[in-house]
Structure formats: structure tokens, C-alpha cells
Amino acid sequence: FDAVVTGYSDFHTLRVAVKIELGGVEYRSLAVLSWMIPMYWIGWLLLSIVIVAPYLASPPAAQYRAAIQDQPKPPHNTTWEWIFQSVSALTNTGMSLVDDSMQLPLGKCYMMLFPTMWLILVGNTAFPICLRAVLWVMQLMLPRKSAMYETLRFLLDHPRRCFIYLFRTESTLFLLATVLLFTISDWFFAMVLDQSLINISEPTRHSLISYA
């Protein structure tokens, strides 16, 4: 239908019949978000637990399991520790049940590091990007004349009308570029400065670490 659309998808000059149609699509969009967002969070959480928890209980992860079990306070169970860390990463609280957090030897456990990094992104920093990507992929899999396709297209075309953490295509791409730029820059300078710290003398290195 024809309408004047201003900022944040405010519709103007609508007839009564068109308002009823718009209200139906918007209601369905909110209903889809009401079950999709909990499934999004629970899905990523369960996936990380299914992948990492069995690895931590396996023989190749004995050294990492020992670091968790040897800490002075419970829990000493690796599965519960990883469940807590997964929730912590997904909600971006930065907490861990291990006293030394992700320092050595856990700092070399890439089966924990990479899932933790991914959960931090999909749960917080890149949440708008990933949620819009899920909606976009879903609408590609649906018939164009279905009600669900119309609902998903409404979410993609008028995201700010339905959810504060959904943005239009241009804003989402800008956020993606910003996240990549800051992540790569942070990673690069961390490696360069870490290498510089290794190359300086031992007393100076201890002084810098103590100051930090």
C-alpha cells in the first residue's frame, strides 16, 4: 500500500483499511520476535555446551580439566564450569568460576577460547548483526506469498518499529564494519605489544606488568 514513511518507520496518510492491515503485520512481527529471540539465545547456549562440554570431559583435555579440578573452591566439575562461562560470555558479564579465569593452562585451550569469543559477539557486540542475518536467511527459505515471509520482510524493512536492537541494512553493515575494524585492530596491537614486552629486559618487563 502507498504510505508516507518517516524516521523510525512512522506511517502517515493511511486509510482505515490499511491501518488494520498494518496492525496485523506488525502484531505478527512482534509475535515472531517473542519466540525467536529466546530461541536465539537458548540455541547458541545449547550449541556451545554440546560442542565444548564433551571435549572437556575427554582424555585430550586432561590438562585443562586438572586446572579446573585443582582450584581451591568448587565447582570442580568441568561441565558446570563451562555452562557458567557460556552464560557469562553470552550475557557479556565477564565472570568465571575458575580463580585464574582464562590464564594458563586454560589460555591455550582453543576449544574454550573460540566458543567464548563467538558467544561474546553473538550475545552482545554483534547481536543486531546476527539477529538480522537469521531473519534474512529465514525469509530466503520461505515462499514469497506466505504470511511468515510477509512478516519477516516487515521486520527487515521496518526493524526499528518492532525491536530496538534491529537496524536497517545500511546501519547493520556499518556496525559490522565497525566491529571488524575494532576487533582486528585490538587483536593486532595486542600481539605487537605482547611481542614487544617479550623482547625487553626482564626487570623492565616485571615493572611494566606490576604497574599494569
Side-chain angles (χ1 to χ4, degrees):
F1 48 81
D2 296 327
V4 177
V5 184
T6 57
Y8 295 105
S9 295
D10 291 327
F11 290 84
H12 303 277
T13 66
L14 296 178
R15 293 176 284 107
V16 175
V18 175
K19 288 182 180 180
I20 294 174
E21 180 183 354
L22 175 62
V25 176
E26 190 170 6
Y27 176 81
R28 293 202 307 270
S29 301
L30 294 174
V32 167
L33 287 176
S34 69
W35 58 261
M36 179 178 291
I37 294 175
M39 286 184 61
Y40 173 91
W41 285 70
I42 294 172
W44 282 119
L45 184 62
L46 291 178
L47 182 62
S48 69
I49 294 172
V50 168
I51 292 175
V52 180
Y55 170 77
L56 291 176
S58 66
Q63 58 175 324
Y64 311 124
R65 189 164 58 252
I68 297 173
Q69 294 172 343
D70 293 344
Q71 65 174 350
K73 295 181 180 180
H76 298 141
N77 185 285
T78 56
T79 300
W80 282 113
E81 195 282 328
W82 175 247
I83 291 174
F84 182 92
Q85 183 157 321
S86 296
V87 175
S88 175
L90 196 63
T91 56
N92 205 27
T93 58
M95 300 178 66
S96 175
L97 294 178
V98 180
D99 292 343
D100 294 332
S101 187
M102 292 300 293
Q103 297 186 39
L104 296 177
L106 296 182
K108 293 184 178 180
C109 183
Y110 295 105
M111 281 294 291
M112 292 181 67
L113 287 175
F114 285 113
T116 300
M117 292 164 55
W118 179 252
L119 288 173
I120 291 172
L121 288 173
V122 300
N124 186 273
T125 312
F127 173 66
I129 303 169
C130 296
L131 181 60
R132 186 177 177 88
V134 170
L135 294 171
W136 182 74
V137 171
M138 287 179 62
Q139 61 96 23
L140 290 178
M141 302 168 62
L142 295 171
R144 289 183 173 271
K145 293 185 178 181
S146 65
M148 179 59 77
Y149 177 84
E150 183 184 36
T151 301
L152 296 179
R153 282 309 317 174
F154 185 85
L155 283 171
L156 293 172
D157 293 337
H158 307 285
R160 299 288 285 180
R161 192 175 177 90
C162 300
F163 192 39
I164 192 173
Y165 292 118
L166 271 178
F167 309 129
R168 294 184 64 86
T169 303
E170 299 82 4
S171 302
T172 305
L173 292 176
F174 178 78
L175 177 60
L176 175 61
T178 304
V179 169
L180 290 175
L181 176 63
F182 277 94
T183 302
I184 294 172
S185 300
D186 187 30
W187 202 338
F188 172 77
F189 285 111
M191 290 193 304
V192 170
L193 295 175
D194 193 36
Q195 187 64 35
S196 301
L197 190 63
I198 293 174
N199 293 332
I200 63 177
S201 63
E202 188 72 19
T204 306
R205 181 162 65 250
H206 282 300
S207 300
L208 290 173
I209 293 174
S210 300
Y211 178 78

